[in-house]
Amino acid sequence: MAQDASPTQLALARKKAEEVATRASQGEPFNQLAVSFSDSQTALEGGALGWLKGPSLPTFLAEVVPRMRAGQVSDILQTGSGFHLVKLNDVRSSTGTQIVKQTHLRHILLKTSEVEDDATVKQKLEEMRAQILAGADFAVLARASSADPGSAIEGGDLGWTTLDTFTPEFSKRAEGLKELEISEPFKTQFGWHIVQMLGHRDFDNTATAEREQAYAQLRESRVDEATDVWLQQLRDEAYVELRL
């Protein structure tokens, strides 16, 4: 049922939905009703949508389904694509703890230029490393010299994160460091670095991972719903031209 359906078409569709709702409330198997009456692509499967996480539900169901109990059939829901009835077969928890290994790093980045080649920049970092080992403050040198604007203001601090956040060469050098150890100067695509390992920890990333997954699934569900409406409109607007 397209968004531009006529009042008569809407009335007929609602009447059909009300008939199905009545039969479902009287105990008639929902899957059989779906096979007989549903215009959905899942009709032949009894309307089954499979196991879905809350954020992956179509937008119009996202607020309805969480308030339903297992075995309950919803009221009639109207959207731009038609009238819907949904039955919540069951609910299960998919919560799982996700522990990730994080490192706390800080670095100083220097870049080459027309007047400072690789050898010059590398030597500067070697001198800074020697100063730090002799007692100079890493953070002070980073604020004064680092070419990484995002971390320089924080004294070179990159915060707690997983090593796969960085380039492979950077991650490889950092991974081999002991706590508080400072690397020798090394080069990546961004320039020359020295990096210090400040610590390791196991971090419960479950909430962050679930939030990111929820955002992704919500975007997908909205795209799927919009696509269904668009396809329905194309079908409703299609016509066949006969020539004799």
Side-chain angles (χ1 to χ4, degrees):
M1 181 64 61
Q3 290 176 311
D4 57 354
S6 68
T8 300
Q9 290 173 315
L10 285 172
L12 290 174
R14 174 171 283 281
K15 183 178 180 181
K16 177 180 175 182
E18 290 171 347
E19 178 186 350
V20 174
T22 298
R23 293 171 65 167
S25 67
Q26 293 172 348
E28 194 164 338
F30 194 86
N31 59 336
Q32 294 181 14
L33 291 170
V35 171
S36 300
F37 293 97
S38 180
D39 295 323
S40 170
Q41 295 179 352
T42 63
L44 293 181
E45 289 78 44
L49 297 175
W51 287 102
L52 296 174
K53 293 184 178 180
S56 65
L57 289 168
T59 306
F60 74 97
L61 293 178
E63 295 184 1
V64 175
V65 172
R67 296 197 295 266
M68 296 174 63
R69 62 182 183 277
Q72 183 180 357
V73 178
S74 72
D75 294 331
I76 296 173
L77 307 171
Q78 183 177 359
T79 71
S81 59
F83 294 95
H84 308 260
L85 285 172
V86 59
K87 179 180 180 181
L88 180 61
N89 289 325
D90 204 355
V91 179
R92 68 182 182 188
S93 174
S94 61
T95 303
T97 302
Q98 183 180 110
I99 303 298
V100 297
K101 293 187 178 297
Q102 291 187 329
T103 56
H104 188 189
L105 304 170
R106 60 181 175 181
H107 80 138
I108 297 175
L109 169 68
L110 296 183
K111 298 184 178 183
T112 58
S113 65
E114 294 181 357
V115 296
E116 293 187 328
D117 59 10
D118 283 327
T120 302
V121 170
K122 182 180 179 183
Q123 183 179 352
K124 280 190 172 183
L125 283 174
E126 288 173 344
E127 293 172 354
M128 288 184 189
R129 181 176 185 273
Q131 292 173 34
I132 296 167
L133 293 175
D137 191 321
F138 190 112
V140 171
L141 290 174
R143 291 190 189 98
S145 306
S146 182
D148 177 9
S151 68
I153 194 172
E154 303 295 336
D157 197 329
L158 296 170
W160 286 100
T161 189
T162 56
L163 284 175
D164 59 11
T165 303
F166 308 108
T167 63
E169 178 61 23
F170 190 99
S171 298
K172 182 179 179 181
R173 293 298 187 110
E175 186 178 21
L177 295 175
K178 298 176 182 177
E179 192 160 325
L180 299 182
E181 183 180 0
I182 303 172
S183 72
E184 297 286 348
F186 63 94
K187 187 179 182 180
T188 71
Q189 67 194 71
F190 300 107
W192 284 86
H193 311 254
I194 54 172
V195 58
Q196 183 178 35
M197 174 64 71
L198 297 177
H200 302 80
R201 73 178 182 183
D202 291 332
F203 179 72
D204 186 347
N205 196 52
T206 306
T208 300
E210 289 180 346
R211 185 165 56 250
E212 291 175 350
Q213 185 179 39
Y215 288 149
Q217 290 175 334
L218 183 58
R219 288 194 297 269
E220 291 174 4
S221 68
R222 286 175 173 170
V223 169
D224 289 343
E225 183 181 347
T227 301
D228 288 343
V229 172
W230 177 68
L231 290 174
Q232 182 65 53
Q233 289 175 337
L234 286 181
R235 286 193 291 268
D236 291 343
E237 294 169 2
Y239 65 92
V240 177
E241 181 179 1
L242 299 177
R243 296 184 179 182
L244 300 178

